[in-house]
Amino acid sequence: MRNVSVADVSSYLAATGWVRQPEGWRGAAVWVHEGDHEILVPGADYLADGPRRLKETLSLLARVEGRSVEDIASDISSPMADVQWYRAPIVPMDGEFGLVDAVTALNSAHAALSAAARAALDGPRPVFDGTAPKAVRDLLARVWIGPIVPSADLLTVRIPLDGENSGDPPLARRTLTLLQRATLLLREASAEVRRTGDISVFDDTVRDGVSADLCVALARFAGTDPGTRFEVGFRWARALPSEVPARTVVFEAETGTLLRRVAHRLRRLHRESASVTGLIGTLFDNGGEDRFRVHVRGEVAIGDGEPRGSIWVRLPDEAAYDVAVEAHRNRTLVRAAGTLKDVNGRRELIATSFHTVVDDRSEES
């Protein structure tokens, strides 16, 4: 409470639906909420009745919002922090944390943010290997947990938006926006699997930031019981509003087990994935079943394996083949990405994406 200022209280009330009245009362501002509640905010900090007014304000807000006084006070005093929270079997209950659960929950919250931040910074991938970039490590170093209070059953994670120079919007906001979208897609895909049994629906979620790392982190919040549901919530800093609505994502029973299966699948896809950037040396289309293939020489990356210098690429359709013909004629660099497949004893890249690349090297070649 010592960190809560009059200005912060006023900005919080304005952002949460309270309306300031034209007339004050003995120097205090009068705020009303839907005509049923009234709050008096002192005209300045450190007035004699300031602490009493502040306690009254926080108590009323706690009743109106159904949240703890401590949680609301933290929100008021941190206008430039986005908030993520978890309600799950392994988070605090009645203000207490089991040691194993505490370690698991904090590590999982850290892993989920790290996976989302790496996807927001460097682009989505099915698996993130190696040490996180410095910008991600710096972001995680500024995150804090809490408050943990007896009246709440949440693990609250606060991500400051200030103190970084990593773009507009800042990396912290891009991270949490991506994480919210990824959790929504995971929930939708989980519901689809329950209807159809087809786990491959998760494959397309990778381009939106889903990774094996994120799936494992979220799965841990289900606890040791695979049938336990859990929730992930998001709120945006009031000093930096977002056009993306804040959401609460509820994962139904047995989602934890499913997400572990998805993580295993994404790791396998990662091992079987490949991409190539280079020049087309050979075009092949026999007009029959063996169509739309090109041989590309350049920089080939194959999953976790050693790089190669060339590979046959099977293009997705005739339109992509037309692009390849033009690129071959003009000596233009191309990039293809997809999965590996053995075809007639030869390792080929089955492209899911294919496009030309603007690069000065094409002229030099």
Side-chain angles (χ1 to χ4, degrees):
M1 290 186 183
R2 289 191 299 270
N3 296 326
V4 176
S5 69
V6 167
D8 286 339
V9 170
S10 298
S11 68
Y12 181 84
L13 293 175
T16 53
W18 292 76
V19 179
R20 181 172 180 171
Q21 301 303 290
E23 302 83 13
W25 186 80
R26 295 185 179 181
V30 180
W31 293 78
V32 297
H33 185 268
E34 298 180 350
D36 295 330
H37 304 286
E38 182 178 277
I39 284 177
L40 295 178
V41 179
D45 294 316
Y46 310 118
L47 295 180
D49 65 343
R52 178 169 61 87
R53 294 293 184 197
L54 178 58
K55 288 181 180 179
E56 293 173 352
T57 296
L58 292 174
S59 296
L60 179 55
L61 289 173
R63 291 198 301 273
V64 171
E65 298 185 23
R67 298 196 292 142
S68 71
V69 167
E70 294 85 353
D71 198 31
I72 292 173
S74 293
D75 280 356
I76 292 175
S77 61
S78 53
M80 274 295 286
D82 284 343
V83 177
Q84 181 194 13
W85 54 263
Y86 295 92
R87 178 178 283 114
I90 63 172
V91 305
M93 295 293 292
D94 299 325
E96 295 183 351
F97 239 158
L99 177 60
V100 174
D101 285 347
V103 172
T104 301
L106 295 177
N107 283 339
S108 299
H110 180 278
L113 278 177
S114 177
R118 295 184 73 169
L121 183 67
D122 294 331
R125 299 177 189 174
V127 178
F128 290 99
D129 295 320
T131 304
K134 184 177 185 302
V136 174
R137 300 198 306 272
D138 290 345
L139 169 63
L140 295 173
R142 296 197 307 275
V143 173
W144 76 92
I145 298 293
I148 297 174
V149 296
S151 59
D153 58 350
L154 301 177
L155 175 67
T156 304
V157 183
R158 299 182 186 275
I159 304 98
L161 303 182
D162 48 359
E164 65 171 89
N165 298 303
S166 55
D168 183 24
L171 177 60
R173 170 60 57 80
R174 303 199 310 271
T175 294
L176 221 57
T177 301
L178 183 146
L179 183 54
Q180 177 177 280
R181 175 164 173 75
T183 54
L184 285 167
L185 290 174
L186 283 172
R187 183 183 66 181
E188 294 169 3
S190 298
E192 181 69 17
V193 171
R194 283 192 289 273
R195 288 192 298 269
T196 66
D198 183 8
I199 197 175
S200 67
V201 298
F202 284 95
D203 297 353
D204 290 338
T205 65
V206 171
R207 59 172 175 251
D208 290 293
V210 171
S211 62
D213 311 69
L214 177 59
C215 289
V216 169
L218 292 176
R220 293 193 189 112
F221 280 102
T224 56
D225 181 358
T228 304
R229 60 183 281 169
F230 63 97
E231 301 176 15
V232 187
F234 302 84
R235 297 197 302 272
W236 310 124
R238 67 180 182 278
L240 187 64
S242 174
E243 295 180 357
V244 179
R247 302 288 295 269
T248 298
V249 184
V250 179
F251 289 96
E252 296 298 337
E254 299 184 4
T255 304
T257 298
L258 176 58
L259 291 180
R260 290 184 178 91
R261 289 176 55 204
V262 174
H264 178 76
R265 178 182 178 85
L266 294 184
R267 289 193 183 98
R268 180 175 57 80
L269 290 177
H270 175 60
R271 290 193 298 269
E272 296 175 354
S273 65
S275 64
V276 58
T277 302
L279 294 171
I280 296 174
T282 305
L283 297 155
F284 184 89
D285 177 16
N286 67 0
E289 295 182 357
D290 194 11
R291 306 200 64 186
F292 311 142
R293 288 194 296 119
V294 296
H295 190 252
V296 181
R297 292 186 176 275
E299 301 173 2
V300 183
I302 300 179
D304 299 323
E306 294 295 323
R308 293 171 50 180
S310 66
I311 194 169
W312 277 98
V313 178
R314 193 172 294 269
L315 302 177
D317 50 38
E318 187 173 0
Y321 190 76
D322 291 341
V323 172
V325 171
E326 189 69 16
H328 180 252
R329 180 182 299 120
N330 297 326
R331 303 287 291 170
T332 303
L333 282 170
V334 297
R335 175 175 172 77
T339 57
L340 296 174
K341 184 177 181 180
D342 289 321
V343 181
N344 299 324
R346 179 180 58 237
R347 200 75 159 157
E348 291 188 356
L349 191 161
I350 310 302
T352 55
S353 67
F354 178 80
H355 55 85
T356 57
V357 179
V358 177
D359 194 300
D360 293 338
R361 288 177 298 173
S362 60
E363 295 296 330
E364 296 172 0
S365 300

